[in-house]
Amino acid sequence: MLGFLRRNYDVCYPTEAPKQSDAIRIGLLGASKIAPIAVISAAKTHPEVFVAAVAARDPKRATAYAKKYKIPIVHESYQALLNDPAIDAIYNPLPNGHHYEWTIKALQAGKHVLLEKPSVSNATEARKLFESPLLSGPDSPVLLEAFHYQFHPAWQKLLGLIEREKISEAHASLIIPKGVIALSDIRCRFDLAGGSLMDTGTYPLSCIRKLFGTEPEQCLEVDHRKMPPGLDQNVDQAFSGKWRFPNGGVGTIKADMISDGGYFTSMLDGFPTLAWPKLEVKHREVFVEGDMPADQEHVVQKTIFMWNFVMPFFWHRIDVQESHSVRGKAEGTIVKEWVETSFLKEYRGKVGTDSWTTYRHQLEEFVNQIRRRPVGAWIDGSDSIKQMEMIDGAYEKAGLPVRPSSMGV
């Protein structure tokens, strides 16, 4: 408990590192709610990163935001921020429908870009962005889609525990309680590429892709819950799906950004749903070698659970469950069964402290890539393209339109 309290105190009140003279100067597009944890706080402990400027559609809001977070420069517009020669990199957390436009413009201005997920509105935009000639040169800007959880030591620990060729089922879910996201939120607007699959759904979708380590062969089935009557019926407030992967395994997801109910009693229907982001990876049975009677066999099936895979720096747990069975070979009669379970965690990586957030680990690798140093975890452009192709395919399977492009793409 003391470790939990200390770690999360350090997360909330990070010790600021002295900045190097050549620190990368980051500009923020928008006075967003996510930037304080995703970049501003993460940058405090990084000696090579300085949040230098912000721009927002509302100059008064940008000024208040800059004062609150001690950002020295406020630009009058997004373009003015991109035109600032003192800015090295851009963080783009704008509404999904504006990701492509302002990321392309940032790259054209020679800025590195840390781009919030989902990278863009659809696969067409993804291919045009990540295959752009602007990214093809030896000194081209760095572009990273910010799936921050993949940079944390806990995620790397999980990947080291699974055996991809033996996965039979993988499931990932992320549910946001009703009341957190208003129905009027930009994430509920089709014209801004909103929807559950584009928001909460991107996490479990990327998760099952990474667990199998490859792309699915087929989308088997999907289901979704549309926005309430009177609101945009092209927008999903909940989405689930099932895919078959090349090893024969099946991956499923569940995402809901306005969830209620689901409790043990109907008396709680209508109450916000409270549930950890969770994943489950079930492996196929394997035979265990050993001294057994000739008419018996020993098999074991490994299942791995991870609680809070999205924000593991606050708290997480990895459960490794091995279900053993001794059974008759002829009829499969169970002779003996038992379960062995271990509980694991991993807060400290090869670099940093155990209070580094997923965002801080991500920022570390972003800077390493900019500095042309070796990187550990990374998400390349082809990965981001495949992620958007999977999202588009799911929407098409559901009979919903693919999110619209911007700028005539």
Side-chain angles (χ1 to χ4, degrees), residues 110-130:
K111 313 299 186 186
H112 307 289
V113 182
L114 180 60
L115 174 60
E116 264 306 328
K117 56 79 199 158
S119 60
V120 286
S121 301
N122 53 59
T124 299
E125 284 189 348
R127 285 187 287 270
K128 190 166 183 179
L129 176 61
F130 290 99

Side-chain angles (χ1 to χ4, degrees), residues 191-340:
D191 62 317
L192 292 177
S196 178
L197 188 58
M198 293 289 288
D199 189 71
T200 51
T202 60
Y203 284 103
L205 199 65
S206 67
C207 179
I208 62 170
R209 290 180 55 244
K210 291 301 178 182
L211 291 173
F212 280 99
T214 186
E215 305 308 312
E217 292 181 328
Q218 183 181 4
C219 181
L220 299 174
E221 59 184 67
V222 296
D223 193 13
H224 67 282
R225 185 177 74 248
K226 295 181 179 181
M227 298 294 287
L231 297 177
D232 196 330
Q233 296 300 288
N234 287 324
V235 176
D236 50 303
Q237 59 176 317
F239 203 99
S240 61
K242 178 188 292 186
W243 291 262
R244 184 178 64 245
F245 285 81
N247 73 342
V250 171
T252 59
I253 69 159
K254 180 180 180 181
D256 197 328
M257 61 182 185
I258 309 173
S259 181
D260 61 17
Y263 293 100
F264 60 92
T265 172
S266 59
M267 295 176 62
L268 296 177
D269 288 352
F271 280 78
T273 306
L274 300 177
W276 286 109
K278 179 186 175 184
L279 65 84
E280 177 180 351
V281 186
K282 183 176 291 186
H283 294 71
R284 296 185 178 89
E285 283 187 344
V286 295
F287 291 96
V288 179
E289 299 294 332
D291 295 330
M292 297 290 297
D295 62 342
Q296 294 180 2
E297 59 189 13
H298 178 190
V299 297
V300 61
Q301 184 176 43
K302 180 167 68 174
T303 304
I304 300 174
F305 303 87
M306 184 171 178
W307 306 87
N308 198 19
F309 71 93
V310 175
M311 295 280 196
F313 55 91
F314 283 125
W315 173 88
H316 69 271
R317 196 180 75 198
I318 301 172
D319 303 352
V320 182
Q321 178 181 291
E322 294 187 336
S323 301
H324 294 260
S325 298
V326 175
R327 63 195 183 200
K329 290 182 178 179
E331 298 180 357
T333 303
I334 300 298
V335 177
K336 182 181 179 181
E337 290 182 312
W338 70 97
V339 177
E340 298 174 354

